[in-house]
Structures are given as C-alpha cells and as structure tokens.
Amino acid sequence: MESEHRSGCPINLSLEVLGDSWSLIVIRDIMFGDRRHYRQLLNESEEGIASNILSDRLKRLTAHGLVTKQSDPAHKQRQLYSLTEQSIQLVPVLVQLGAWGRKFLPASPELSIRARILDEGGPELWADFMDELRVMHLGAEPRASAESVFEKLEKAYQEAVAAGRSS
Amino acid sequence: MESEHRSGCPINLSLEVLGDSWSLIVIRDIMFGDRRHYRQLLNESEEGIASNILSDRLKRLTAHGLVTKQSDPAHKQRQLYSLTEQSIQLVPVLVQLGAWGRKFLPASPELSIRARILDEGGPELWADFMDELRVMHLGAEPRASAESVFEKLEKAYQEAVAAGRSS
DNA sequence: TCTCTCCGCTTGCACTCTGCAACCGGTGAG
DNA sequence: CTCACCGGTTGCAGAGTGCAAGCGGAGAGA
C-alpha cells in the first residue's frame, strides 16, 4: 500500500518530482515566458529541449498536478498548458535557484535581470507575482495593482536586451 | 572558448549543476545530518544511495566547488568532506524546496520538523544557521549565539522521533 | 608479524533514461 | 485541394542508474 518513495523527507520528495534537468525549465518557461503551447515551449526554448523530453515532462508534470492541459474549443488541436496552485507556489524555489545561479555561475546579464528584480523585491513581490499567475492560469479575479510584476519583469528584460545590443 | 552551457539563464545554470536526484540529497546530508565521511553518507543515507553514484556526485560537487575533500592527518585513509561558501548559500534553496515538499507531498512528520522550523524561522534563522555552517565547515570564528540552530533542529527532530515511537 | 576489520572507492552488468532526427495523422486557412 | 501547423510518437545510439561484488591500503589487536 505504501508508495515507492525513497524517503519521507520533504526535500527528497520535492527532488523526486523536480529533480531533473528539465522539469523546472518547463515550469520556468510557462511561468516567466508565458509559453502556453507545446510548439511554443519547444521552439522558443532557450535551452533547446527535445520534443520527446518535452512531451514526457508535460505528462509527468500533469500527473503530479503541477500543470493542467485544456484544449482550446476554437482550435481543437491546440492545447493550452496552465500552472496550478502547486506550481505557482514554486516561485520562491525558482527565485532562490536563480539568485544562487546569478551569484555563483556565469549567468548572462540580460537573463539575470528577472532573477535580480525578484531577488531584491523579496517575498512581497513574489506574492504579487503569484497573484498575477493565479489570474493568468487559474482564472482568479484580478486585484488592483499599481504595476504588473509580469510586465515589469518583461520590460526590464527587453531593456537589458536592447542595452546589450547597442553596447 | 565559450562553455557548453545550454543557456546563460541563472535558473538553467543552477539546474545544470544541481538538476538531478542525488546532488542536493548529498548536500542535505552533509549540511543537516553532519555526515562528513563517505561511509557515513553511504550507510546513513535515508534514501539508500548507491556507492558509485555517491562517488560520482562527490566528484562532481567537488569539481563545481560545492564540496571540498581533505584527508584526516591522523587517519590517512579517512577523507573529510566539507561544504564551501557556495553550498552553504544553498540553504535558502533547500529550505524553500523543503517547505514546498512539506506543503504538497506526503512528507513524514519527523522529517518535516526541520523544514518547518527553518521555514517559520525565516531569513534571520537561515543566516544564523549559515554562520554555524561556516564555523563547522570553513573554520570560521564562532560567534556568540543563544542557542545553536543546528542543535535546535537536531533536538526537535529527536523529540519528533520519540513522540512518533510512543504514540 | 599475522589477521581482521574498516577506509574510500572501482568494476561489471543489466536496465533505464536521454537526446537527436525523422515521421505521424488531424486541423484550419487560403 | 493543398499546405503549413498542431501536438505529439518512434527508432536508435549512447549516457546515466542501481545493484552486488571486489580492491588495495591502513589501524588495531594478539
């Protein structure tokens, strides 16, 4: 009856779900890149994920309840992937991972901007961002917000790209 | 000249180093379990890591500067593994991973205690813990502290184990 | 000195997972 | 009717994983 978990340690259990090279990359792309379709995730992937791996990960993430899939009624073959509350709550994990990578690994300046803003913004900013994700993915009611965190991150990224090109 | 990184995204770079089932488990055991020797890591592993995998991961982590290895001058064949500043700064990542696993996955109560205390303690407690790790692993000067976080975690864990047994 | 145990690993093997490229049937637009 | 695009699947070679057994060196006891 008991599961085949390696142990009941919460860190271990998280790693059993997320402990591979691609799962968090897919979630990152859906979350920060707003890529909601298979081809988008495949072709706009910064790291060049293979189609079978993407397919497998989307299945796994769906099975674990981190992603949901719904078909667009207008475009029948078009599938829309959405985050769930579980994966939205991975924001702090991704922020900390990004902060660590930014500090110790050769991260490119443009791609580090988002990590920096989220790191410096602290838990309040994460919470705002998570609320926006709930609106975008779970259909939650939008709450009045001075400036969308998502847009703020996107804008900063675009500025960094432009600055990188001109310099 | 450029490296073979999949991309310059800080999250991706972190995953290239830590994105597998075992690396963070090994760091967790050194960090929270104070397992400093190979046999200790092998035999006291909650998840039952295989010896070749452990050997490989220790090499990888050493190569990436997350772990250092030194031989005990008294016991020549005995190797002491230590954390580095880089891996000590993974504390927030591990805490967030633990908090997430505790929230959404079937974590056992005893093993969740540490995760809960660190989660609830917040960044100040993490900083204290990281200072203690610097003393234990980097030979930093101990700073006066009312109660060692390490001992606090250990004590809470032992109490939870005892409570679990008696109930 | 001889033996016994423990030390950090290494080796061999079967099996699975990964990454790449080619390919698939269904669908909507022109 | 055609054609590009949709979310995938398939085949294959090579890399990674998990298990069990074994290795030489060292420390301890007799």
mmCIF file of all heavy atoms in Angstrom, chain B residues 122-152:
data_model
loop_
_atom_site.group_PDB
_atom_site.id
_atom_site.type_symbol
_atom_site.label_atom_id
_atom_site.label_comp_id
_atom_site.label_asym_id
_atom_site.label_seq_id
_atom_site.Cartn_x
_atom_site.Cartn_y
_atom_site.Cartn_z
ATOM 1 N N GLY B 122 12.432 31.893 9.079
ATOM 2 C CA GLY B 122 12.679 32.958 8.115
ATOM 3 C C GLY B 122 14.157 33.235 7.901
ATOM 4 O O GLY B 122 15.016 32.579 8.490
ATOM 5 N N PRO B 123 14.448 34.204 7.043
ATOM 6 C CA PRO B 123 15.815 34.517 6.634
ATOM 7 C C PRO B 123 16.789 34.767 7.778
ATOM 8 O O PRO B 123 17.972 34.465 7.649
ATOM 9 C CB PRO B 123 15.639 35.785 5.787
ATOM 10 C CG PRO B 123 14.260 35.680 5.242
ATOM 11 C CD PRO B 123 13.453 35.005 6.316
ATOM 12 N N GLU B 124 16.293 35.285 8.914
ATOM 13 C CA GLU B 124 17.216 35.547 10.030
ATOM 14 C C GLU B 124 17.761 34.225 10.567
ATOM 15 O O GLU B 124 18.947 34.093 10.851
ATOM 16 C CB GLU B 124 16.516 36.304 11.161
ATOM 17 C CG GLU B 124 15.780 37.571 10.736
ATOM 18 C CD GLU B 124 14.425 37.279 10.117
ATOM 19 O OE1 GLU B 124 13.825 36.232 10.462
ATOM 20 O OE2 GLU B 124 13.971 38.069 9.256
ATOM 21 N N LEU B 125 16.857 33.256 10.715
ATOM 22 C CA LEU B 125 17.293 31.947 11.204
ATOM 23 C C LEU B 125 18.220 31.280 10.196
ATOM 24 O O LEU B 125 19.215 30.651 10.571
ATOM 25 C CB LEU B 125 16.081 31.057 11.489
ATOM 26 C CG LEU B 125 16.397 29.751 12.219
ATOM 27 C CD1 LEU B 125 16.786 30.025 13.664
ATOM 28 C CD2 LEU B 125 15.230 28.780 12.171
ATOM 29 N N TRP B 126 17.900 31.445 8.908
ATOM 30 C CA TRP B 126 18.766 30.856 7.887
ATOM 31 C C TRP B 126 20.179 31.439 8.016
ATOM 32 O O TRP B 126 21.164 30.719 7.905
ATOM 33 C CB TRP B 126 18.254 31.136 6.467
ATOM 34 C CG TRP B 126 16.818 30.792 6.237
ATOM 35 C CD1 TRP B 126 15.996 30.062 7.062
ATOM 36 C CD2 TRP B 126 16.017 31.187 5.120
ATOM 37 N NE1 TRP B 126 14.745 29.962 6.513
ATOM 38 C CE2 TRP B 126 14.724 30.641 5.332
ATOM 39 C CE3 TRP B 126 16.268 31.913 3.959
ATOM 40 C CZ2 TRP B 126 13.689 30.825 4.419
ATOM 41 C CZ3 TRP B 126 15.243 32.089 3.046
ATOM 42 C CH2 TRP B 126 13.959 31.559 3.280
ATOM 43 N N ALA B 127 20.220 32.732 8.236
ATOM 44 C CA ALA B 127 21.526 33.399 8.331
ATOM 45 C C ALA B 127 22.310 32.871 9.522
ATOM 46 O O ALA B 127 23.519 32.632 9.426
ATOM 47 C CB ALA B 127 21.345 34.909 8.426
ATOM 48 N N ASP B 128 21.630 32.679 10.660
ATOM 49 C CA ASP B 128 22.298 32.107 11.826
ATOM 50 C C ASP B 128 22.831 30.719 11.509
ATOM 51 O O ASP B 128 23.962 30.374 11.849
ATOM 52 C CB ASP B 128 21.317 32.011 13.014
ATOM 53 C CG ASP B 128 21.024 33.378 13.618
ATOM 54 O OD1 ASP B 128 21.746 34.342 13.283
ATOM 55 O OD2 ASP B 128 20.077 33.471 14.427
ATOM 56 N N PHE B 129 21.984 29.931 10.861
ATOM 57 C CA PHE B 129 22.377 28.567 10.520
ATOM 58 C C PHE B 129 23.577 28.580 9.575
ATOM 59 O O PHE B 129 24.530 27.807 9.742
ATOM 60 C CB PHE B 129 21.188 27.842 9.889
ATOM 61 C CG PHE B 129 21.447 26.394 9.593
ATOM 62 C CD1 PHE B 129 21.933 25.538 10.571
ATOM 63 C CD2 PHE B 129 21.194 25.881 8.323
ATOM 64 C CE1 PHE B 129 22.165 24.196 10.291
ATOM 65 C CE2 PHE B 129 21.429 24.536 8.042
ATOM 66 C CZ PHE B 129 21.919 23.701 9.033
ATOM 67 N N MET B 130 23.542 29.467 8.610
ATOM 68 C CA MET B 130 24.652 29.550 7.660
ATOM 69 C C MET B 130 25.940 29.966 8.362
ATOM 70 O O MET B 130 27.022 29.465 8.032
ATOM 71 C CB MET B 130 24.293 30.516 6.527
ATOM 72 C CG MET B 130 23.261 29.922 5.580
ATOM 73 S SD MET B 130 22.434 31.144 4.529
ATOM 74 C CE MET B 130 23.761 31.627 3.442
ATOM 75 N N ASP B 131 25.814 30.840 9.357
ATOM 76 C CA ASP B 131 27.002 31.210 10.136
ATOM 77 C C ASP B 131 27.573 30.003 10.873
ATOM 78 O O ASP B 131 28.787 29.807 10.922
ATOM 79 C CB ASP B 131 26.648 32.316 11.140
ATOM 80 C CG ASP B 131 26.714 33.697 10.502
ATOM 81 O OD1 ASP B 131 27.410 33.829 9.468
ATOM 82 O OD2 ASP B 131 26.068 34.636 11.015
ATOM 83 N N GLU B 132 26.679 29.188 11.412
ATOM 84 C CA GLU B 132 27.159 27.985 12.098
ATOM 85 C C GLU B 132 27.840 27.024 11.136
ATOM 86 O O GLU B 132 28.846 26.397 11.463
ATOM 87 C CB GLU B 132 25.992 27.270 12.791
ATOM 88 C CG GLU B 132 25.500 28.016 14.018
ATOM 89 C CD GLU B 132 24.233 27.389 14.567
ATOM 90 O OE1 GLU B 132 24.036 26.175 14.379
ATOM 91 O OE2 GLU B 132 23.429 28.126 15.174
ATOM 92 N N LEU B 133 27.263 26.922 9.944
ATOM 93 C CA LEU B 133 27.879 26.036 8.949
ATOM 94 C C LEU B 133 29.276 26.544 8.582
ATOM 95 O O LEU B 133 30.195 25.750 8.360
ATOM 96 C CB LEU B 133 26.998 25.943 7.700
ATOM 97 C CG LEU B 133 25.686 25.177 7.871
ATOM 98 C CD1 LEU B 133 24.828 25.302 6.624
ATOM 99 C CD2 LEU B 133 25.954 23.708 8.177
ATOM 100 N N ARG B 134 29.414 27.862 8.531
ATOM 101 C CA ARG B 134 30.738 28.417 8.226
ATOM 102 C C ARG B 134 31.743 28.057 9.308
ATOM 103 O O ARG B 134 32.918 27.830 9.025
ATOM 104 C CB ARG B 134 30.645 29.941 8.069
ATOM 105 C CG ARG B 134 29.968 30.348 6.781
ATOM 106 C CD ARG B 134 30.014 31.846 6.519
ATOM 107 N NE ARG B 134 29.151 32.145 5.372
ATOM 108 C CZ ARG B 134 27.912 32.639 5.459
ATOM 109 N NH1 ARG B 134 27.394 32.935 6.636
ATOM 110 N NH2 ARG B 134 27.212 32.849 4.370
ATOM 111 N N VAL B 135 31.277 28.014 10.551
ATOM 112 C CA VAL B 135 32.161 27.598 11.647
ATOM 113 C C VAL B 135 32.528 26.125 11.496
ATOM 114 O O VAL B 135 33.691 25.742 11.593
ATOM 115 C CB VAL B 135 31.472 27.832 13.015
ATOM 116 C CG1 VAL B 135 32.309 27.255 14.146
ATOM 117 C CG2 VAL B 135 31.212 29.322 13.226
ATOM 118 N N MET B 136 31.527 25.306 11.202
ATOM 119 C CA MET B 136 31.749 23.867 11.151
ATOM 120 C C MET B 136 32.553 23.428 9.930
ATOM 121 O O MET B 136 33.306 22.456 9.998
ATOM 122 C CB MET B 136 30.399 23.127 11.141
ATOM 123 C CG MET B 136 29.559 23.354 12.393
ATOM 124 S SD MET B 136 27.847 22.831 12.159
ATOM 125 C CE MET B 136 28.022 21.066 12.016
ATOM 126 N N HIS B 137 32.370 24.119 8.819
ATOM 127 C CA HIS B 137 32.957 23.635 7.564
ATOM 128 C C HIS B 137 34.099 24.495 7.041
ATOM 129 O O HIS B 137 34.960 24.000 6.333
ATOM 130 C CB HIS B 137 31.868 23.535 6.492
ATOM 131 C CG HIS B 137 30.866 22.475 6.758
ATOM 132 N ND1 HIS B 137 30.925 21.230 6.185
ATOM 133 C CD2 HIS B 137 29.788 22.438 7.580
ATOM 134 C CE1 HIS B 137 29.913 20.485 6.619
ATOM 135 N NE2 HIS B 137 29.200 21.208 7.465
ATOM 136 N N LEU B 138 34.076 25.772 7.362
ATOM 137 C CA LEU B 138 35.101 26.646 6.815
ATOM 138 C C LEU B 138 36.080 27.098 7.881
ATOM 139 O O LEU B 138 37.017 27.832 7.598
ATOM 140 C CB LEU B 138 34.451 27.880 6.162
ATOM 141 C CG LEU B 138 33.377 27.600 5.101
ATOM 142 C CD1 LEU B 138 32.832 28.908 4.564
ATOM 143 C CD2 LEU B 138 33.960 26.761 3.974
ATOM 144 N N GLY B 139 35.844 26.674 9.121
ATOM 145 C CA GLY B 139 36.736 27.071 10.202
ATOM 146 C C GLY B 139 36.591 28.528 10.597
ATOM 147 O O GLY B 139 37.536 29.136 11.099
ATOM 148 N N ALA B 140 35.410 29.099 10.363
ATOM 149 C CA ALA B 140 35.188 30.492 10.745
ATOM 150 C C ALA B 140 35.128 30.607 12.264
ATOM 151 O O ALA B 140 34.904 29.620 12.969
ATOM 152 C CB ALA B 140 33.894 31.010 10.122
ATOM 153 N N GLU B 141 35.331 31.811 12.731
ATOM 154 C CA GLU B 141 35.265 32.054 14.170
ATOM 155 C C GLU B 141 33.828 31.918 14.657
ATOM 156 O O GLU B 141 32.932 32.534 14.080
ATOM 157 C CB GLU B 141 35.753 33.482 14.478
ATOM 158 C CG GLU B 141 37.263 33.614 14.453
ATOM 159 C CD GLU B 141 37.927 32.707 15.483
ATOM 160 O OE1 GLU B 141 37.545 32.780 16.661
ATOM 161 O OE2 GLU B 141 38.809 31.911 15.095
ATOM 162 N N PRO B 142 33.625 31.171 15.713
ATOM 163 C CA PRO B 142 32.260 31.091 16.235
ATOM 164 C C PRO B 142 31.814 32.428 16.804
ATOM 165 O O PRO B 142 32.609 33.151 17.391
ATOM 166 C CB PRO B 142 32.354 30.031 17.337
ATOM 167 C CG PRO B 142 33.781 29.718 17.510
ATOM 168 C CD PRO B 142 34.581 30.342 16.434
ATOM 169 N N ARG B 143 30.566 32.750 16.559
ATOM 170 C CA ARG B 143 30.019 33.985 17.115
ATOM 171 C C ARG B 143 29.050 33.591 18.233
ATOM 172 O O ARG B 143 28.357 32.578 18.130
ATOM 173 C CB ARG B 143 29.279 34.764 16.027
ATOM 174 C CG ARG B 143 30.164 35.049 14.833
ATOM 175 C CD ARG B 143 29.614 36.183 14.017
ATOM 176 N NE ARG B 143 28.258 35.917 13.571
ATOM 177 C CZ ARG B 143 27.416 36.873 13.211
ATOM 178 N NH1 ARG B 143 27.777 38.129 13.275
ATOM 179 N NH2 ARG B 143 26.209 36.562 12.795
ATOM 180 N N ALA B 144 29.021 34.392 19.257
ATOM 181 C CA ALA B 144 28.151 34.079 20.387
ATOM 182 C C ALA B 144 26.724 33.938 19.912
ATOM 183 O O ALA B 144 26.223 34.757 19.158
ATOM 184 C CB ALA B 144 28.242 35.198 21.422
ATOM 185 N N SER B 145 26.113 32.863 20.337
ATOM 186 C CA SER B 145 24.740 32.618 19.910
ATOM 187 C C SER B 145 23.987 31.990 21.073
ATOM 188 O O SER B 145 24.501 31.106 21.749
ATOM 189 C CB SER B 145 24.749 31.691 18.703
ATOM 190 O OG SER B 145 23.460 31.204 18.448
ATOM 191 N N ALA B 146 22.774 32.481 21.316
ATOM 192 C CA ALA B 146 21.994 31.988 22.447
ATOM 193 C C ALA B 146 21.840 30.474 22.362
ATOM 194 O O ALA B 146 22.132 29.743 23.293
ATOM 195 C CB ALA B 146 20.629 32.657 22.471
ATOM 196 N N GLU B 147 21.405 30.000 21.194
ATOM 197 C CA GLU B 147 21.220 28.566 21.018
ATOM 198 C C GLU B 147 21.626 28.210 19.598
ATOM 199 O O GLU B 147 21.229 28.888 18.655
ATOM 200 C CB GLU B 147 19.759 28.178 21.258
ATOM 201 C CG GLU B 147 19.512 26.687 21.126
ATOM 202 C CD GLU B 147 18.031 26.343 21.266
ATOM 203 O OE1 GLU B 147 17.199 27.252 21.096
ATOM 204 O OE2 GLU B 147 17.724 25.185 21.521
ATOM 205 N N SER B 148 22.390 27.167 19.476
ATOM 206 C CA SER B 148 22.810 26.740 18.158
ATOM 207 C C SER B 148 21.603 26.266 17.345
ATOM 208 O O SER B 148 20.804 25.460 17.812
ATOM 209 C CB SER B 148 23.824 25.614 18.302
ATOM 210 O OG SER B 148 23.810 24.799 17.167
ATOM 211 N N VAL B 149 21.482 26.800 16.129
ATOM 212 C CA VAL B 149 20.372 26.393 15.266
ATOM 213 C C VAL B 149 20.498 24.910 14.947
ATOM 214 O O VAL B 149 19.512 24.169 14.939
ATOM 215 C CB VAL B 149 20.362 27.208 13.959
ATOM 216 C CG1 VAL B 149 19.243 26.730 13.042
ATOM 217 C CG2 VAL B 149 20.221 28.683 14.252
ATOM 218 N N PHE B 150 21.722 24.481 14.702
ATOM 219 C CA PHE B 150 21.947 23.083 14.385
ATOM 220 C C PHE B 150 21.425 22.180 15.500
ATOM 221 O O PHE B 150 20.710 21.200 15.238
ATOM 222 C CB PHE B 150 23.449 22.845 14.163
ATOM 223 C CG PHE B 150 23.760 21.484 13.636
ATOM 224 C CD1 PHE B 150 23.721 21.232 12.272
ATOM 225 C CD2 PHE B 150 24.089 20.453 14.490
ATOM 226 C CE1 PHE B 150 23.995 19.976 11.777
ATOM 227 C CE2 PHE B 150 24.366 19.181 14.009
ATOM 228 C CZ PHE B 150 24.316 18.947 12.650
ATOM 229 N N GLU B 151 21.773 22.540 16.744
ATOM 230 C CA GLU B 151 21.303 21.733 17.875
ATOM 231 C C GLU B 151 19.795 21.815 18.044
ATOM 232 O O GLU B 151 19.140 20.835 18.398
ATOM 233 C CB GLU B 151 21.990 22.189 19.171
ATOM 234 C CG GLU B 151 23.424 21.695 19.269
ATOM 235 C CD GLU B 151 24.195 22.417 20.371
ATOM 236 O OE1 GLU B 151 23.548 23.099 21.196
ATOM 237 O OE2 GLU B 151 25.434 22.318 20.382
ATOM 238 N N LYS B 152 19.268 22.993 17.787
ATOM 239 C CA LYS B 152 17.825 23.182 17.884
ATOM 240 C C LYS B 152 17.096 22.260 16.909
ATOM 241 O O LYS B 152 16.118 21.586 17.260
ATOM 242 C CB LYS B 152 17.510 24.646 17.571
ATOM 243 C CG LYS B 152 16.064 25.041 17.704
ATOM 244 C CD LYS B 152 15.948 26.556 17.533
ATOM 245 C CE LYS B 152 14.512 27.005 17.338
ATOM 246 N NZ LYS B 152 14.443 28.466 17.129
#
